[in-house]
Every structure is written in C-alpha cells, then in structure tokens.
Amino acid sequence: MSTTTEGPAHPDAIERPVAARVGAGIFSPRQLRTSFPEALRKLHPRHQARNPVMFVVWVGSVLVTVFAVLEPSVFTVLIAMWLWLTVLFGCLAEAVAEGRGKAQADSLRRTRKESVARRLTPDGAQEQLPGAELRVGDLVVVEAGEAIPGDGDIVEGIATVDESAITGESAPVVRESGGDRCAVTGGTTVLSDRIVVRITTKPGESFVDRMIALVEGARRQKTPNEIALTILLSTLTIIFLLAVVALQPMAVYSGSRQSPVALTALLVCLIPTTIGALLSAIGIAGMDRLVQRNVLASSGRAVEAAGDVSTLLLDKTGTITFGNRRATELVPLGGSAAELAAAARLSSLADPTPEGRSIVELTTGVHGLPAEAGAAELAATFVEFTAQTRMSGIDLGGDRIRKGATESIRDWVRERGGEIPASMDEVADRISGEGGTPLAVAKESGGTATVLGVIRLSDVVKPGMRERFAELRSMGIRTVMITGDNPLTAKAIAADAGVDDHLAQARPEDKMALIHREQEGGRLVAMTGDGTNDAPALAASDVGVAMNTGTSAAKEAGNMVDLDSDPTKLIEIVAIGKQLLITRGALTTFSVANDLAKYFAILPAMFVAIYPQLGDLNVMGLATPESAILSAVVFNALVIVALIPLALRGVRYRPATASGLLRRNLLVYGLGGIVTPFAGIWLIDLLVRLIPGIG
C-alpha cells in the first residue's frame, strides 16, 4: 500500500469545536427552536418506553399529575411540573444531538448537485443523461468546471478536483488514474483537465447519501456497551423501585404514612435519571464527532471498538512518513552510471507510482535522458509491479530489465544463471541503515543476467509522530508499523518514528497473520488501508479505516471510511472512541454519586417526624420536608440541563492508562457527584422556602 495525505493531521484535532461544520452552538436560539418541537414529540409513551429509566420518570409524572388534578396543592403541582420538566430535558438532550446531525445533513444536501452526465457509449460516442440515471460500471467524461456526477474511479486522465463541498478543505487535490488516488466523490468539481470516471455506486448510495443517512438518522442501533449500561441502569431502577415500595408499609407501621407524591419524588431522585436522560445523546454526539472529522462509520459499534483498541497497525508510507519517496541517488555496481541510469529509466517509464516518476525525473535531470518514451519504447512490453513479485520492468527487443526489492532481483538474476555482486548487499544495507529504501536494477541481455546497480529512495518521518506515538503508549496502545521495505530500512524508520514494533516486507497474508496473532491475545486491532490487497486485513481488523481515494474493495471491507484520505486520522479516531467511552463512564459515575446527596435530602425529611434522630442527617439545614423534597426534584431536573453541553461536547480527553482514567473519574466525577448536589440542593432550598405553602 502506498498512501499519501493531503496534509498533516492537526495534533489537537480532538479538541476542535464539535459544531465547526454546522455553525451553531449547543444552545443557540436557532438550535433550540428546531429541537424543542422534536423534544415535545419524544414525550410520547412509545418513545419513552425505549428508555426504562426515563419511562419510570414518565409514569411517575403522570401519576403525580393525576394527584395534582384530584387533590391540588402548591407542593403537588410544583412536583408534577418539575417531573415533567425532567422528562422534557432528557428529550431535549436527545433532540439537540439529533438536531445538530440534521443541520449537518441539510448542509450536505446543499452540496449535492443535480448534474447532467456525459456517458460514453460502446462505440466511443457521448450521450447526455441525468446523473441519477447512472449505473455501476458506466463510464462518464468530466471536464474542467463540471461536477462529478457520482462516486467512481478515474480510469483515464489526471485532474485537480475541488473537494471542499465534501471535506471542507479549500485546497484542490490531484486525482489520477492508475494510482492509489484514483477515487472521486460525487458532487465534487473538476477544476482542470479531462478525466474519464467509472461509476462504482448506485444512485442514492453515494458517500454523501450515506453520510446524510448517518447524521440525521434518529433510529439508530444501540451499541453493545450502551445495551449493557442500559441493563445496569434498569437493574438499579428496579432495585430502587422495590426499596421505595417497601417504605410505605414501614411508614404505615410507624404511624407516618407517606403520600404517593413524596414516594414518587423519592424514586425519581434515587434512580439514575441523569445518565438515563443523557445516554442516547452521548452516543449520537460520538457519531457526530466522527462525521465532523469527515469519517463515515458504518455503526456506533465501530466507534466503541475504536475506544477499546489496544493495537494500531499503521502503514509506513503516507502515515508515518510523508509517503512521497523519491529517487535521490544511483549507485552503479561494476558497470557505468550511464548504463544504470538508462536501465532505471526504461524500467520506470510505465511505473505510475510517485517513486517511478521520481526515477525518471532523476535520470532526466542528472543524466540528460529524455523524459518521454520513444516510439520503440512505447512498443515494448511493460511488466507491472505486484505484491507477489515485488518487481516491475520492461521487455524491449531482446533485453529484459527489472527493478525491485533487492531480494526479488537477487532471485530473478540467479534463476537466469547470473552472478550477484558482493557489494550489492553492502550498498543495500548501507542505504537501509540510513533510513532509505534500496531498489536493485538488473538486466538480462543475450541470455546473461547482471545486476547493474541500486537506486536509493528516500523518505522522511512526519514531524511530531514520535510524540503522538508516546501518547498512544501512555494510553496502553501498542503501535506496529507495516511496510514493504526490507528489514533494515523498516528498523531504521521504526526507531526514528518511535513505534513499538514493525513488520517488514509485508504481504497481504502477513498482515492477516499479524492481525490474527494480536486478536488471539484478546486485543482489539485497528488498521488503515486503501488498496484491494488491504481488503482482507481491513475486514479482519476490529476497526478498519479505508481511504476514500482507495479502491471500492477496500471501502467495502472497512467499517469506516475517511473522506479526507488521511491515514494519520486513525489516531484521532481512537481518541474519539475513547472520549465517547470516557464521557459515558464519567457521567454514569456522576449520576450514581449524586444520588447520595438526594438521599440525605429526602429520607430525613420524610421520617424526621417519627424518628427525630434523623434530624442529625439534615446536614444541609433544609427548611421543611416539602422544601427538601421539592429542592431535590428541582436539582434532579436542572442537573440534566447543566450536563447536556458536556454530553454533546464530550469529556476532555487526555491520554492516560486505564487505572489513571479510573482515578480521575472517581476524584472528579465521583467526588463531584457527591459534593455538587449538596451545594445545589441547599441553594435551591433557600429559594423554595420562600414559596407559600412550602417553606
């Protein structure tokens, strides 16, 4: 795989504003105007029944409302009102999260252009038809100034393309046939030249269509972790329900019967309503953060898996290094430099890769050889590079020239009875030890095969990669660099980049074997890829991120597609997944912890009349039983509103080990979940006690 990137990933990308593409704040008036009606619709019992915790609150709200109508009092009416607000605030959190996605979906819809396609007929003529009528396999011509009518691969030509409508990047990119960057997205605009595109998707199934369906889909499947947490919250709710139901017989026996309103308020305050109300919004916002970074995930399961990844497989070229390896030196072995330059040029004339083009440029600039192929050279037989042979070349007349990995060239020469120069290994080892990549050049003429020399390809590690890998290491994630280079080159670049391990001379089956070995140890594996040969490994990995510019096979095999085609984004994806899990865990810790303060507020107030000793537990000095219960219910509702921005934005993520994250959660959100309600309920009680009939 040889993948390049349009530019280095932003090192602080995980901290960028979530709503950068939508252009609206979390609680902007426009956002609230569109979300509030949807929140009201979510009050329907069929919707509430999907969330067991909030359904209990909904039933309690109905029950208290009935008592407020039959036996009206200031206390009962206020409790009913705040219980309904608790349900409404939970619906609003989900509606705001979905509304942000729908706003982005509308923005994406505006990027789609109803274009007229020029389809090529079998006889080479062109026919015009609407882009929506194109089918898979159709060939369309797109020239400068025209919009690409559908997703596809360039099969002829090279052009600069404006992808800002899809990726948000203003700088145009180069797309060309025959390489790793041949894929184009429907709705983007060709700025120069002429290309022929083979359509690869059906109408309505383009990446833009799939992104729209992803970000606006209100009906989403719950992830395994979300289902497990829902079961836990439901269990806690049942336990507290049984406990509250058991209180009434005890109260009757003690001669202090409690009103159903007070018992309902106690139940709502004790069950984990905070996380129950925000759980759905957290999941939706996690998917939204991926979409904001132009990553299309097939499901929330993939996002969660990214958060649990413990091994990252990173391709060297374009991910760890800049990817544009260039020929910088020709080292002749026994023969003349001119003969080596001529052979290197001939073997690279039909090589469409950046490395092949750089070899032609080197022989042209330094040795004065022609850049274009002559008539005789055009009639030659070109041998394409494959992952199995790891060679390419040309058969011209009676001569056969090959260029490739030193091991492959050695075997090729020996098969033809040729001798290997003793200095070849020494030169190759020296180039590899210096971080370069050696390519040997051999020629068979008159039945004799000889090694002419070695080409040095140089690559550069991207700045900041060592620091990013150190962060991943602090998170307990192991990084493995995958490369087709020889072991010495791979070792030098791996040491320079700071990865934990490397796999050299990697073939598709080697990648698969490595993934299976890692998974057998109970680890989750993530990798990036863009070629057809990467498809098996992408499918086998737990998180497979395919590049949008890659082949259709790679994009179908992975469970995520990066529209920016930036392989380094895999590191961001892992951080987003971890941020999702951390946010869910932090708010769950806070929700369970703040029940303790509400326990101290309500229970002493309910039974202090018959057990005066409970007055010692009224550490907040709450005025009356009614004010204590109402203050707890009001706080229970308001805390949901206060935490909506955190649920949508996500807890600030800092690389740390699992034990470090646990300590942080317990100290910040566990201790905070205990202290905050004490202060909040006390302040609310100062206001509530002023209400006639309460204080």
Side-chain angles (χ1 to χ4, degrees):
M1 182 178 72
S2 178
T3 305
T4 57
T5 176
E6 305 299 342
H10 195 288
D12 299 322
I14 192 67
E15 301 299 339
R16 288 183 293 181
V18 177
R21 289 283 297 277
V22 178
I26 291 175
F27 284 132
S28 68
R30 180 181 178 184
Q31 182 72 72
L32 289 177
R33 280 197 305 270
T34 57
S35 300
F36 191 75
E38 181 63 26
L40 292 176
R41 283 191 287 270
K42 290 180 181 293
L43 290 174
H44 196 283
R46 280 186 302 181
H47 180 84
Q48 294 300 316
R50 301 172 189 168
N51 188 332
V53 177
M54 296 310 294
F55 183 67
V56 170
V57 181
W58 184 90
V59 172
S61 303
V62 173
L63 178 63
V64 176
T65 302
V66 172
F67 279 98
V69 173
L70 298 179
E71 303 175 7
S73 68
V74 174
F75 174 73
T76 306
V77 170
L78 288 175
I79 291 292
M81 181 185 73
W82 281 100
L83 288 182
W84 279 115
L85 286 176
T86 302
V87 181
L88 180 62
F89 291 156
C91 296
L92 184 63
E94 185 176 353
V96 169
E98 292 176 355
R100 287 149 57 81
K102 290 177 181 178
Q104 189 174 22
D106 292 338
S107 176
L108 288 170
R109 282 194 182 92
R110 289 193 292 270
T111 67
R112 295 193 301 186
K113 301 176 181 178
E114 295 297 331
S115 57
V116 176
R118 290 187 288 153
R119 182 170 62 183
L120 289 176
T121 60
D123 59 1
Q126 297 182 15
E127 61 177 356
Q128 291 190 349
L129 74 164
E133 296 183 10
L134 291 173
R135 295 295 179 264
V136 176
D138 286 348
L139 297 178
V140 296
V141 177
V142 189
E143 296 184 349
E146 297 178 349
I148 298 173
D151 293 356
D153 297 329
I154 299 177
V155 296
E156 179 184 323
I158 179 173
T160 54
V161 180
D162 176 12
E163 295 185 341
S164 59
I166 305 299
T167 65
E169 296 293 337
S170 58
V173 296
V174 177
R175 296 290 179 257
E176 59 184 322
S177 62
D180 293 332
R181 309 193 73 79
C182 64
V184 290
T185 305
T188 57
T189 304
V190 174
L191 299 180
S192 69
D193 303 295
R194 174 186 183 274
I195 54 175
V196 178
V197 178
R198 177 184 289 113
I199 301 299
T200 57
T201 59
K202 299 178 182 178
E205 297 182 4
S206 68
F207 279 112
V208 174
D209 294 315
R210 290 167 62 184
M211 284 182 70
I212 291 172
L214 175 70
V215 299
E216 75 171 358
R219 294 186 177 180
R220 62 185 187 91
Q221 292 184 344
K222 290 185 177 181
T223 62
N225 284 353
E226 197 172 347
I227 293 173
L229 183 56
T230 301
I231 294 173
L232 173 62
L233 298 180
S234 302
T235 303
L236 291 175
T237 300
I238 294 173
I239 292 173
F240 283 123
L241 177 62
L242 295 176
V244 171
V245 169
L247 282 178
Q248 188 68 305
M250 296 173 58
V252 172
Y253 177 79
S254 302
S256 180
R257 176 185 294 271
Q258 298 297 317
S259 70
V261 175
L263 291 174
T264 302
L266 174 64
L267 175 62
V268 170
C269 289
L270 291 184
I271 63 177
T273 52
T274 305
I275 184 62
L278 298 175
L279 185 58
S280 180
I282 293 171
I284 295 172
M287 296 289 290
D288 181 60
R289 281 192 287 275
L290 267 188
V291 175
Q292 293 294 333
R293 286 157 180 81
N294 293 329
V295 177
L296 179 64
S298 60
S299 66
R301 182 189 296 266
V303 185
E304 282 192 352
D308 286 329
V309 159
S310 54
T311 303
L312 283 184
L313 306 185
L314 300 165
D315 186 62
K316 184 204 75 169
T317 307
T319 305
I320 296 174
T321 64
F322 279 109
N324 52 344
R325 295 185 304 175
R326 301 188 60 82
T328 56
E329 184 184 7
L330 299 178
V331 183
L333 300 176
S336 66
E339 184 181 10
L340 172 60
R345 171 186 169 274
L346 285 172
S347 65
S348 304
L349 283 175
D351 188 347
T353 64
E355 293 88 349
R357 290 194 293 268
S358 72
I359 293 173
V360 175
E361 292 172 3
L362 178 65
T363 59
T364 300
V366 177
H367 298 276
L369 299 176
E372 301 296 331
E377 295 166 344
L378 289 174
T381 301
F382 293 100
V383 179
E384 294 184 358
F385 176 87
T386 66
Q388 285 69 35
T389 64
R390 301 175 66 215
M391 292 187 303
S392 62
I394 186 174
D395 295 341
L396 179 61
D399 297 338
R400 304 173 69 188
I401 301 173
R402 295 293 183 271
K403 167 194 87 231
T406 53
E407 294 80 4
S408 300
I409 294 298
R410 179 187 291 110
D411 295 340
W412 187 79
V413 170
R414 284 177 175 170
E415 287 174 0
R416 286 152 183 77
E419 295 293 330
I420 305 300
S423 57
M424 187 179 79
D425 289 339
E426 178 184 344
V427 171
D429 291 346
R430 174 172 58 82
I431 293 175
S432 300
E434 295 171 355
T437 302
L439 291 181
V441 180
K443 179 178 181 180
E444 181 185 13
S445 181
T448 303
T450 57
V451 177
L452 300 179
V454 178
I455 304 170
R456 179 198 291 267
L457 297 178
S458 300
D459 204 350
V460 180
V461 174
K462 293 179 179 179
M465 294 305 295
R466 176 176 286 274
E467 289 75 14
R468 300 193 77 176
F469 290 140
E471 289 183 2
L472 291 170
R473 196 173 297 110
S474 68
M475 296 155 48
I477 296 177
R478 178 170 171 263
T479 53
V480 181
M481 182 187 77
I482 300 177
T483 177
D485 291 334
N486 63 71
L488 284 176
T489 301
K491 182 179 180 181
I493 294 180
D496 191 16
V499 296
D500 298 311
D501 200 356
H502 64 276
L503 177 65
Q505 297 177 335
R507 298 170 298 175
E509 52 267 32
D510 297 328
K511 297 177 186 178
M512 289 286 292
L514 176 60
I515 290 173
H516 291 320
R517 285 199 303 271
E518 293 290 329
Q519 290 173 332
E520 286 172 359
R523 292 178 287 268
L524 296 186
V525 179
M527 74 162 289
T528 59
D530 64 351
T532 301
N533 62 332
D534 294 320
L538 286 171
S541 59
D542 300 285
V543 179
V545 184
M547 302 295 102
N548 188 35
T549 55
T551 63
S552 299
K555 289 186 281 189
E556 290 297 326
N559 50 21
M560 292 187 186
V561 176
D562 177 21
L563 297 178
D564 291 334
S565 299
D566 178 5
T568 62
K569 198 176 289 184
L570 179 60
I571 299 175
E572 287 185 47
I573 292 171
V574 170
I576 291 172
K578 286 191 173 294
Q579 186 183 42
L580 170 64
L581 297 178
I582 291 170
T583 301
R584 189 181 293 155
L587 294 184
T588 301
T589 303
F590 182 90
S591 178
V592 174
N594 69 23
D595 289 339
L596 180 62
K598 289 178 282 188
Y599 170 89
F600 275 95
I602 296 181
L603 280 184
M606 291 175 63
F607 295 100
V608 70
I610 56 175
Y611 299 113
Q613 299 87 346
L614 291 177
D616 296 336
L617 296 180
N618 186 13
V619 294
M620 290 175 277
L622 304 180
T624 64
E626 289 78 11
S627 72
I629 295 172
L630 181 58
S631 298
V633 171
V634 171
F635 175 83
N636 193 60
L638 293 181
V639 74
I640 295 174
V641 179
L643 292 176
I644 289 177
L646 183 61
L648 298 183
R649 185 178 62 249
V651 173
R652 182 178 175 85
Y653 171 71
R654 296 183 181 90
T657 60
S659 59
L661 290 174
L662 178 61
R663 286 194 300 270
R664 178 191 174 199
N665 266 4
L666 291 178
L667 287 175
V668 176
Y669 296 97
L671 186 59
I674 295 175
V675 174
T676 303
F678 277 96
I681 292 173
W682 176 74
L683 290 173
I684 294 171
D685 180 72
L686 295 179
L687 300 175
V688 167
R689 67 177 63 182
L690 301 177
I691 301 175
I694 300 296

